[in-house]
């Protein structure tokens, strides 16, 4: 499955290869992003799913909003008539999850967040309830996560993929987990690193951060005072607190800002 990148020329959408060569000329009125080798395009008020060779796989509903394929399913949302409803189709365009949910997330490792009657839970690709609808809000189990934050009554805790609560909802906030590490926020809005396991959560850092984002590729952007830096899963500062803004690492680089100028750093703090 080959994924292509979107381009726009004279208000028309087309696609290029990773090498920058035009694979599908810009002729569509609108087009989505390729996922798992497929995307949806719109032309003359009709919507189709195509592959990277521009072969039409099936015609789609023109008024549905499609989120792209993940694990063989594509979530769609119906905005009109209200209320908003969400379901999912397979690679043949068949509806395999009826649009009975108020919201539905992409599938990650066989689970997707769904919202029903104002509560979040998780379902399987067969539309079976994996974790009951008991939560005010949840994060997804993406990027291979085994644990995810949840909120009830404006308090946050962590649960595992079986719905077992590992950390009771006593915190103000939390980040997503990577490699069993995350951050939690207490009532004073101080952020601490936490290590998660089947036995629960262990707070690792004693000196709090002013703010924290989740780990990505083993590093997390955090704030001390008013400056951003990066720490590893041992809590060690690997890139000093010198930046006015910082994003997660992706493909070996993280976007940062200092003195009103933007640049990128590598895991050693170079390549500004």
């Amino acid at each position: 499955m080959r994924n292509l990148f979107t381009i726009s020329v004279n208000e028309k959408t087309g696609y290029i290869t990773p090498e920058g060569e035009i694979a599908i000329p810009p002729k569509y009125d609108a087009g989505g992003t390729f996922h798992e080798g497929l995307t949806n395009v719109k032309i003359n008020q009709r919507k189709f799913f195509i592959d990277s060779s521009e072969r039409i796989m099936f015609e789609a509903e023109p008024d549905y909003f499609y989120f792209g394929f993940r694990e063989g399913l594509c979530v769609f949302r119906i905005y009109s008539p209200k209320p908003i409803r969400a379901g999912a189709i397979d690679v043949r365009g068949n509806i395999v999850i009826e649009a009975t949910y108020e919201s539905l997330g992409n599938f990650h490792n066989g689970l997707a967040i769904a919202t029903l009657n104002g509560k979040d839970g998780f379902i399987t690709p067969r539309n079976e309830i994996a974790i009951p609808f008991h939560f005010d809000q949840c994060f997804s189990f993406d990027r291979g996560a085994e644990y995810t934050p949840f909120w009830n009554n404006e308090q946050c805790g962590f649960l595992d993929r079986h719905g077992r609560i590992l950390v009771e909802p006593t915190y103000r906030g939390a980040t997503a987990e990577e490699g069993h590490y995350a951050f939690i926020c207490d009532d004073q809005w101080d952020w601490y690193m936490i290590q998660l396991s089947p036995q629960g959560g262990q707070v690792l850092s004693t000196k709090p951060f002013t703010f924290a984002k989740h780990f990505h590729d083993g590093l997390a952007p955090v704030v001390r005072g008013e400056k951003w830096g990066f720490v590893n899963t041992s809590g060690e500062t690997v890139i000093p607190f010198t930046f006015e803004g910082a994003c997660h690492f992706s493909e070996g680089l993280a976007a940062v800002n200092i003195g009103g100028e933007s640049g990128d750093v590598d895991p050693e703090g170079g390549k500004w």
Side-chain angles (χ1 to χ4, degrees):
M1 292 182 292
R2 186 173 65 149
N3 287 330
L4 304 175
F5 298 95
T6 308
I7 58 170
S8 180
V9 179
N10 297 325
E11 299 183 354
K12 294 294 184 179
T13 298
Y15 296 88
I16 60 174
T17 67
E19 295 75 30
E21 299 175 353
I22 293 179
I24 300 175
K27 62 184 180 183
Y28 294 102
D29 300 324
T33 303
F34 269 89
H35 292 286
E36 299 184 358
L38 299 175
T39 189
N40 69 91
V41 292
K42 191 172 185 178
I43 188 169
N44 298 327
Q45 302 303 314
R46 298 174 70 184
K47 190 172 286 188
F48 304 88
F49 271 82
I50 61 172
D51 65 11
S52 57
S53 64
E54 208 178 357
R55 180 178 54 163
I56 294 175
M57 308 306 293
F58 57 87
E59 186 166 0
E61 293 291 337
D63 298 325
Y64 289 11
F65 183 88
Y66 295 92
F67 288 87
F69 276 92
R70 299 289 196 287
E71 300 185 7
L73 296 181
C74 176
V75 172
F76 65 86
R77 189 171 292 173
I78 306 171
Y79 288 95
S80 181
K82 292 185 181 295
I84 297 171
R85 293 151 290 148
I89 58 173
D90 63 16
V91 294
R92 295 179 177 85
N94 301 313
I95 293 178
V96 293
I97 298 177
E98 294 289 340
T100 56
Y101 297 103
E102 293 139 37
S103 179
L104 181 61
N106 291 319
F107 280 89
H108 298 282
N109 297 317
L111 294 177
I113 299 174
T115 305
L116 188 65
N117 298 322
K119 291 290 188 178
D120 281 359
F122 290 83
I123 63 170
T124 71
R126 299 173 68 113
N127 200 20
E128 299 165 335
I129 297 175
I131 299 176
F133 299 91
H134 291 164
F135 308 100
D136 294 342
Q137 182 185 359
C138 292
F139 284 0
S140 65
F141 290 99
D142 64 344
R143 299 184 300 116
E146 295 184 32
Y147 313 102
T148 192
F150 71 91
W151 281 260
N152 271 335
N153 299 318
E154 299 184 353
Q155 295 292 298
C156 180
F158 277 86
L159 56 86
D160 66 14
R161 293 177 54 83
H162 304 288
R164 188 168 63 96
I165 293 176
L166 303 175
V167 177
E168 292 293 333
T170 58
Y171 295 100
R172 204 52 95 87
T175 69
E177 169 258 332
E178 181 189 78
H180 300 183
Y181 293 93
F183 293 92
I184 49 91
C185 174
D186 66 15
D187 287 337
Q188 306 303 313
W189 296 105
D190 290 326
W191 291 79
Y192 297 87
M193 189 187 305
I194 187 172
Q195 183 178 17
L196 299 158
S197 72
Q199 288 70 46
Q202 178 184 1
V203 176
L204 300 179
S205 52
T206 56
K207 184 179 180 181
F209 300 101
T210 309
F211 187 68
K213 297 181 181 180
H214 65 74
F215 281 97
H216 200 290
D217 295 339
L219 297 176
V222 294
V223 180
R224 278 240 166 93
E226 297 181 354
K227 296 293 185 180
W228 288 84
F230 290 83
V231 297
N232 60 20
T233 54
S234 298
E236 301 166 333
T237 301
V238 294
I239 301 177
F241 294 88
T242 57
F243 305 108
E244 294 159 8
C247 297
H248 306 104
F249 271 89
S250 177
E251 298 181 358
L253 294 174
V256 293
N257 183 279
I258 185 169
E261 296 186 5
S262 297
D264 296 307
V265 292
D266 61 23
E268 286 74 44
K271 296 196 70 159
W272 168 254

